[in-house]
Amino acid sequence: MRNSEEAEGFHGEASNTSMISGASSPYQPTTEPVHSRNVLGGIRCDFEYLKSHFGILKAVEVALALIAFICIETIMLCLPCGGVYFFEFVSCSAFVVTGVLLLIFSLSLHTKVPHVNWSLTDLVNTAASTVFFFLASVVLAALNHKSGAEIAAVVFGFLVTCVYAVNTFLAVKRWRMGDGRSVAVQTSEYMRARTASRGEMEARPDLA
């Protein structure tokens, strides 16, 4: 009987101790529901971006690159074919990459990956597309057989080159403004940290 009473007392004390320790513990379980991180949960169409200069330029670039690619694909005979193949590669690559970026920006997917510098990514794409489309158009204009498809491809190649050049100019301005703003923020944070640390050193009494 004594053993059972001692066991009951031991269990009671243990339960009371666990309740007291649980109540005084700073690590209390939260009652808030834990939401799973759904990256694709906040997808929405950003109409403001589509109405902006960058959105309109992106849409025009995708359309002109697609038309230029279709024109070059309608060429049946070519000799030499180096200019045709180069223009085909450039127009297809620009259409795919710019189309993907347009989809990312218009659906606000870039906000899901904030550690990527999207302004710099857009700048690199537009600058590279400008250079390669210009080179491909010049080469195709020099090496062609005066067919309607080749002339149309050259015309649309130079048109999309101009659009990419305008987009590159605007992207450079945006990137410089963003870079200068980030430098200013870092400088202000550094000065604030130095002022706080200096105040702590002045407030600390001398040990000597």
Side-chain angles (χ1 to χ4, degrees):
M1 292 294 293
R2 184 175 183 181
N3 293 334
S4 62
E5 291 178 356
E6 291 178 355
E8 290 177 356
F10 175 76
H11 289 300
E13 292 177 358
S15 61
N16 293 334
T17 304
S18 63
M19 291 176 61
I20 294 173
S21 62
S24 61
S25 175
Y27 303 100
Q28 296 294 329
T30 179
T31 57
E32 297 181 358
V34 178
H35 300 282
S36 60
R37 295 182 179 179
N38 190 1
V39 178
L40 301 179
I43 292 180
R44 61 180 181 84
C45 185
D46 190 358
F47 293 101
E48 295 297 328
Y49 174 78
L50 295 176
K51 295 177 183 179
S52 65
H53 298 293
F54 290 100
I56 295 174
L57 288 174
K58 281 283 184 296
V60 173
E61 290 163 1
V62 171
L64 292 179
L66 178 60
I67 295 174
F69 178 72
I70 293 174
C71 291
I72 205 66
E73 284 295 310
T74 57
I75 298 176
M76 298 299 176
L77 298 176
C78 60
L79 189 65
C81 298
V84 174
Y85 292 155
F86 182 50
F87 191 93
E88 180 182 9
F89 170 76
V90 171
S91 58
C92 181
S93 301
F95 168 73
V96 172
V97 176
T98 307
V100 170
L101 288 177
L102 176 61
L103 186 65
I104 290 175
F105 291 138
S106 60
L107 296 180
S108 299
L109 296 178
H110 61 287
T111 59
K112 305 297 182 181
V113 191
H115 58 274
V116 176
N117 192 338
W118 292 104
S119 298
L120 183 60
T121 302
D122 184 35
L123 173 59
V124 172
N125 173 65
T126 53
S129 299
T130 303
V131 174
F132 283 107
F133 248 121
F134 177 75
L135 294 176
S137 301
V138 170
V139 172
L140 185 62
L143 303 174
N144 65 79
H145 300 84
K146 309 299 181 182
S147 63
E150 290 174 327
I151 294 174
V154 170
V155 171
F156 282 106
F158 281 116
L159 285 176
V160 73
T161 300
C162 295
V163 178
Y164 271 116
V166 174
N167 195 358
T168 302
F169 174 74
L170 295 178
V172 168
K173 290 182 61 177
R174 181 179 63 179
W175 179 71
R176 286 181 176 178
M177 292 176 60
D179 186 62
R181 189 180 298 111
S182 63
V183 171
V185 171
Q186 293 177 359
T187 303
S188 62
E189 291 179 353
Y190 174 73
M191 294 301 297
R192 192 182 302 112
R194 288 200 59 182
T195 303
S197 62
R198 186 178 301 173
E200 292 178 357
M201 292 296 296
E202 292 177 355
R204 184 180 301 174
D206 295 332
L207 299 178

